[in-house]
């Protein structure tokens, strides 16, 4: 009986020792670090052309850094150059018509019209004198009414001839009518618009960088035909870096919008201070964590966007690099 009591006491002591060891280990256990992994992203843009053409030159390679205004690709389009020739010829013809309308008749035509006017004036003078003499004789009853009427009709005819000659001379001096000049001017404007349109297409055959960045992808090869709006290159703007993280909602405390935290970049072995600017529900059951088996609740995932407090600190960061946020949990 005494032996059984001793065994029970020993067993109790061992159990107490185990419990004490578990408590001590639990108290002394270091804090658990939860790792949240995301990746770096960049604003990028695609370089494309408004006009179809054949790739003549590609002046950059993937990985090259470019500055705004640098020439990236040159296209060639014989059809557009042919249209430019047609538009230029139409413009030259319209300008010639306008010049003619503004300049008026040639000097020889003006001189001829003037001479005809002077001739009409001379004839009118003779007709006027003849009529005056006939009128005096008619008043003295020397000539018949028939002669008087014939002289008057001839005078009126010469007056009309003089007015017509004067009108022809004025037209030769003044040139075309205002409506003709306006029409010629409109033709020039229309032809100039066609030339400007083709010039804009020609400019689109030389593709330049819109902003500083790094060429990440080149799609066509030299000599390949590309269509209107087809992407030719992809350029990542290295000066605009941000990070995205998919965070389980039980790890969200301390990571609200406006919060600043530290992100570690393994590829560069450095940390960057960032500010959380956006939180969005990812919205898919595939990333829920089921905990109802433990009588708790499902954990949903949210997407966080974080931007560097200073883009200068993010120099060297490239799209796709891993980014780590470490959270310490007790």
């Amino acid at each position: 009986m005494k032996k059984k009591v001793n065994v029970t006491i020993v067993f109790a002591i061992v159990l107490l020792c185990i419990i004490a060891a578990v408590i001590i280990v639990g108290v002394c256990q270091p804090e658990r670090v939860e790792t949240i992994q995301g990746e770096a992203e960049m604003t990028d843009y695609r370089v494309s052309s408004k006009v179809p053409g054949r790739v003549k030159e590609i002046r950059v390679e993937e990985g090259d850094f470019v500055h705004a205004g640098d020439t990236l690709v040159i296209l060639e389009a014989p059809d557009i150059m042919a249209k430019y020739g047609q538009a230029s010829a139409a413009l030259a013809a319209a300008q010639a018509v306008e010049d003619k309308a503004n300049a008026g008749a040639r000097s020889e035509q003006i001189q001829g019209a003037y001479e005809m006017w002077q001739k009409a004036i001379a004839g009118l003078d003779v007709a006027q004198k003849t009529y005056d003499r006939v009128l005096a004789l008619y008043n003295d009853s020397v000539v018949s009414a028939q002669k008087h009427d014939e002289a008057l009709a001839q005078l009126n005819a010469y007056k009309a001839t003089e007015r017509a000659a004067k009108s022809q001379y004025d037209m030769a001096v003044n040139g075309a009518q205002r409506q003709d000049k306006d029409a010629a001017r409109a033709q020039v404007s229309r032809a100039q618009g066609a030339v400007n349109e083709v010039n804009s297409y020609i400019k689109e055959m030389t593709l330049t960088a819109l902003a500083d960045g790094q060429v990440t992808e080149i799609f066509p090869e030299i000599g390949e035909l590309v269509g209107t709006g087809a992407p030719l290159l992809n350029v990542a703007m290295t000066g605009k870096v941000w990070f995205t993280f998919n965070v389980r909602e039980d790890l969200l405390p301390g990571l609200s919008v406006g919060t600043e935290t530290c992100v570690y970049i393994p590829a560069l072995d450095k940390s960057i201070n960032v500010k959380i600017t956006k939180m969005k529900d990812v919205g898919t059951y595939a990333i829920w964590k089921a905990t109802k088996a433990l009588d708790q609740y499902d954990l949903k995932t949210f997407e966080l966007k974080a931007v560097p407090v200073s883009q200068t600190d993010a120099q060297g960061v490239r799209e796709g690099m891993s980014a780590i946020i470490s959270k310490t949990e007790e």
Side-chain angles (χ1 to χ4, degrees):
M1 184 69 179
K2 186 177 181 180
K3 184 177 180 180
K4 290 183 179 180
V5 171
N6 291 336
V7 172
T8 302
I9 294 173
V10 172
F11 179 77
I13 293 173
V14 172
L15 182 61
L16 289 174
C17 290
I18 292 174
I19 294 173
V22 170
I23 294 174
I24 293 173
V25 170
V27 172
C28 298
Q29 184 178 9
E31 297 177 336
R32 184 167 60 92
V33 177
E34 188 74 34
T35 298
I36 302 173
Q37 182 172 348
E39 67 177 10
E41 297 190 28
M42 291 182 179
T43 299
D44 54 10
Y45 62 89
R46 288 191 171 185
V47 179
S48 58
S49 173
K50 288 183 180 179
V51 297
R54 189 180 300 276
V55 179
K56 182 179 180 181
E57 293 183 43
I58 300 178
R59 296 191 174 182
V60 293
E61 295 181 358
E62 292 184 357
D64 287 351
F65 287 89
V66 296
H67 300 283
D70 288 351
T71 299
L72 306 179
V73 178
I74 296 179
L75 303 178
E76 60 180 357
D79 293 345
I80 293 178
M81 299 309 298
K83 289 182 180 179
Y84 177 75
Q86 295 172 359
S88 299
L91 175 61
Q95 287 176 335
V97 172
E98 183 185 28
D99 293 342
K100 181 179 179 180
N102 292 330
R106 295 165 52 183
S107 60
E108 294 85 352
Q109 292 174 323
I110 295 175
Q111 184 63 32
Y114 178 76
E115 296 295 341
M116 293 299 294
W117 179 38
Q118 295 304 309
K119 179 180 178 181
I121 291 175
L124 176 61
D125 183 60
V126 172
Q128 183 67 53
K129 290 177 180 179
T130 301
Y131 174 73
D132 291 342
R133 288 194 293 267
V134 171
L135 179 62
L137 294 173
Y138 173 73
N139 290 333
D140 293 338
S141 299
V142 175
V143 296
S144 64
Q146 177 68 27
K147 291 292 184 180
H148 171 267
D149 293 342
E150 290 176 356
L152 180 60
Q154 188 175 16
L155 175 62
N156 291 335
Y158 272 100
K159 286 182 178 180
T161 301
E162 187 275 336
R163 288 194 299 269
K166 177 65 165 58
S167 177
Q168 291 295 324
Y169 171 70
D170 291 341
M171 184 182 298
V173 172
N174 296 330
Q177 295 182 358
R178 179 178 60 83
Q179 294 85 346
D180 294 335
K181 292 181 180 180
D182 292 343
R185 190 177 304 111
Q187 289 293 331
V188 171
S189 298
R190 179 180 179 182
Q192 184 64 61
V195 171
N196 293 340
E197 181 182 7
V198 178
N199 273 330
S200 69
Y201 293 150
I202 292 175
K203 290 180 180 178
E204 288 294 328
M205 293 165 61
T206 301
L207 306 180
T208 59
L210 303 179
D212 296 354
Q214 182 181 22
V215 179
T216 56
E217 290 181 281
I218 299 176
F219 302 107
E221 300 290 341
I222 294 178
E224 186 175 339
L225 286 172
V226 293
T228 302
L232 304 180
L233 296 94
N234 193 73
V235 180
M237 300 170 64
T238 54
K240 294 186 178 180
V241 179
W242 74 88
F243 304 94
T244 55
F245 301 89
N246 289 328
V247 184
R248 208 172 60 236
E249 59 183 322
D250 61 332
L251 299 178
L252 284 178
L255 297 177
S256 59
V257 174
T259 301
E260 292 189 9
T261 186
C262 187
V263 170
Y264 175 66
I265 310 298
L268 302 179
D269 191 23
K270 72 173 184 179
S271 297
I272 299 174
N273 291 326
V274 298
K275 182 177 182 179
I276 298 174
T277 60
K278 179 180 178 181
M279 179 184 297
K280 183 180 71 173
D281 173 16
V282 176
T284 171
Y285 288 92
I287 52 176
W288 283 31
K289 180 180 179 181
T291 59
K292 286 185 177 179
L294 303 177
D295 294 329
Q296 296 183 14
Y297 52 88
D298 289 336
L299 295 176
K300 204 170 184 181
T301 298
F302 288 79
E303 180 183 299
L304 299 185
K305 178 181 178 180
V307 298
V309 175
S310 171
Q311 287 289 341
T312 304
D313 297 338
Q315 288 183 353
V317 177
R318 295 293 175 264
E319 189 171 14
M321 285 187 176
S322 297
I324 306 297
I325 296 177
S326 297
K327 289 198 65 179
T328 302
E329 295 186 353
E330 297 182 355

